Amino acid sequence: MYGNDFGTPDEPGRPGLLDQVADAERELRAAADRSVESEGGERYFEALVAADQKIEPRDWMPDGYRKTLIRQMAQHAHSEIIGMQPEANWITRAPTLKRKAILLAKVQDEAGHGLYLYAGAETLGVTRDSLYELLLAGKQKYSSIFNYPTLTWADVGAIGWLVDGAAIVNQVPLCRCSYGPYARAMIRICKEESFHQRQGYEILYTLAHGTPAQKAMAQDAVDRWWYPSLAMFGPPDTDSTHSEQSMAWKIKRFSNDDLRQRFVDMCVPQAQVLGLTIPDPELRWNAERGYHDYTHPDYGELMTVIKGNGPCNRQRMAHRRQAHEDGAWVREAAAAYAAKRREPVNA
Ligand SMILES: [Fe+2]
Ligand SMILES: [Fe+2]
């Protein structure tokens, strides 16, 4: 069971995360066949959201809805792109050819996720170039998690298990997001993230069942990645600024703390199978609540990283800027080729 058992011990009948993605996919197909009758405008928008149908790019939508989605989808896309860096750091040093091929495919998937999401954001009336500009100018953020360094090969395992695992828990509800292009992109992304989570879990499982030094390396990686992964769900509900309106618009379906709890409950049995310890002495089953009690991450540290002062923020942005400059000739060549193809043949 390489991490694909997402059920929690307290809810044996609860469907796994991939089943939820499949359900969302069916709902999306059904929603394409609209049953809400209206003339358009605000009331139509509200009726569509209330009926759990999808808002499409051609539909009227409130300015705030559009802005929220642009911000969220752009930050999501930026995270996919910046998130390639910590793992790409290990492609040339993967321990076997097979591991290298798998990691290469995984990092390439993340580039694809960035691409779908930028394309999705463009349906809201922004250009991909303008979003790159905002990222490079530091005006739009990416997930704080990618500002931590990957010190050993086991970090690639811990990222897959914990970081991609947290990403799935966060993103499965987005398959039901009210904005059609975002929901559709998330279906495919979640299926791929599930593979990422399993590959990380399998790396850790192999190390945890190897030599004592390998097991220690796996444990050290989990020790370092656990709390930053919990912080991926964002500030606690009491401090979360955008949540309420996003919930009303059905962009967001669950609160940060609900998703964080779901993630903790998912990881506990998986850590037992790995034979690794989650570095939280307060972690225990609370029969009364029906969930695990756990120690929250240091939200002060999260804010420091978000503000640009994490261990690798400067390195990540410098690398991205350099890659953007190095790729300028490719963009120019592609644009020139596209322009040439548009010219009439007999002109
Ligand atoms: Fe991804
Ligand atoms: Fe991923």
Side-chain angles (χ1 to χ4, degrees):
M1 105 169 196
Y2 286 141
N4 51 355
D5 179 13
F6 292 109
T8 51
D10 55 314
E11 295 167 288
R14 193 175 150 217
L17 288 171
L18 273 181
D19 296 323
Q20 293 177 40
V21 174
D23 288 347
E25 194 170 7
R26 269 190 295 277
E27 278 176 30
L28 254 173
R29 290 190 201 289
D33 205 11
R34 280 183 181 175
S35 57
V36 175
E37 297 288 336
S38 174
E39 296 302 303
E42 191 167 0
R43 288 182 62 178
Y44 186 45
F45 172 85
E46 281 168 7
L48 283 174
V49 172
D52 271 331
Q53 296 201 346
K54 300 298 164 192
I55 308 298
E56 296 297 340
R58 63 182 178 271
D59 293 329
W60 182 91
M61 62 187 85
D63 272 352
Y65 180 85
R66 187 185 298 276
K67 280 191 189 131
T68 299
L69 276 166
I70 290 173
R71 189 189 62 238
Q72 185 171 335
M73 292 173 80
Q75 290 185 1
H76 194 162
H78 300 330
S79 302
E80 302 283 357
I81 297 299
I82 299 278
M84 295 162 74
Q85 292 185 37
E87 290 181 287
N89 181 32
W90 281 92
I91 289 174
T92 55
R93 291 176 288 164
T96 66
L97 186 59
K98 186 176 155 199
R99 297 279 185 209
K100 189 196 290 272
I102 293 170
L103 183 58
L104 206 56
K106 195 257 190 194
V107 171
Q108 188 171 290
D109 278 356
E110 307 300 4
H113 296 174
L115 194 68
Y116 312 147
L117 288 162
Y118 284 126
E122 284 188 309
T123 65
L124 290 157
V126 286
T127 64
R128 196 181 306 178
D129 282 348
S130 70
L131 300 179
Y132 286 153
E133 296 296 321
L134 289 168
L135 171 68
L136 296 177
K139 290 181 182 158
Q140 273 181 343
K141 306 283 181 203
Y142 55 90
S143 176
S144 58
I145 193 75
F146 301 118
N147 293 308
Y148 289 86
T150 39
L151 305 180
T152 69
W153 169 251
D155 287 30
V156 175
I159 289 182
W161 180 42
L162 296 173
V163 176
D164 288 283
I168 302 172
V169 170
N170 236 328
Q171 292 172 9
V172 163
L174 289 173
C175 296
R176 289 200 155 84
C177 165
S178 58
Y179 189 56
Y182 197 17
R184 287 189 286 273
M186 292 319 301
I187 299 265
R188 177 157 179 189
I189 289 176
C190 282
K191 288 179 182 174
E192 292 179 354
E193 294 299 356
S194 163
F195 159 73
H196 298 169
Q197 201 255 6
R198 289 176 210 192
Q199 67 85 35
Y201 193 85
E202 201 265 342
I203 289 172
L204 284 183
Y205 188 92
T206 304
L207 291 172
H209 292 80
T211 65
Q214 286 172 322
K215 183 168 185 181
M217 186 167 81
Q219 184 63 57
D220 172 65
V222 170
D223 289 350
R224 283 181 289 107
W225 287 93
W226 175 251
Y227 286 104
S229 301
L230 287 189
M232 283 173 70
F233 295 92
D237 292 351
T238 42
D239 301 350
S240 186
T241 42
H242 302 298
S243 282
E244 219 169 285
Q245 181 61 71
S246 282
M247 298 264 247
W249 280 329
K250 294 187 181 169
I251 295 173
K252 200 177 159 113
R253 299 275 179 163
F254 300 97
S255 77
N256 295 354
D257 285 334
D258 285 349
L259 293 169
R260 194 168 5 245
Q261 180 74 60
R262 191 174 286 188
F263 176 68
V264 171
D265 292 333
M266 178 181 99
C267 289
V268 170
Q270 294 178 354
Q272 278 164 1
V273 175
L274 286 174
L276 296 173
T277 308
I278 291 174
D280 179 359
E282 305 303 320
L283 183 69
R284 59 181 60 88
W285 178 248
N286 182 329
E288 223 168 275
R289 283 198 320 123
Y291 297 104
H292 290 87
D293 289 337
Y294 66 95
T295 306
H296 277 255
D298 177 351
Y299 295 114
E301 178 181 318
L302 173 64
M303 293 323 290
T304 303
V305 178
I306 288 176
K307 284 183 184 141
N309 298 312
C312 300
N313 293 60
R314 284 171 190 82
Q315 181 188 334
R316 300 288 184 241
M317 286 307 295
H319 189 87
R320 181 88 279 282
R321 280 194 192 96
Q322 189 63 48
H324 193 71
E325 276 171 34
D326 291 348
W329 70 271
V330 179
R331 292 190 295 279
E332 280 163 24
Y337 180 69
K340 201 173 171 188
R341 301 258 304 187
R342 275 197 299 271
E343 279 169 20
V345 178
N346 297 322

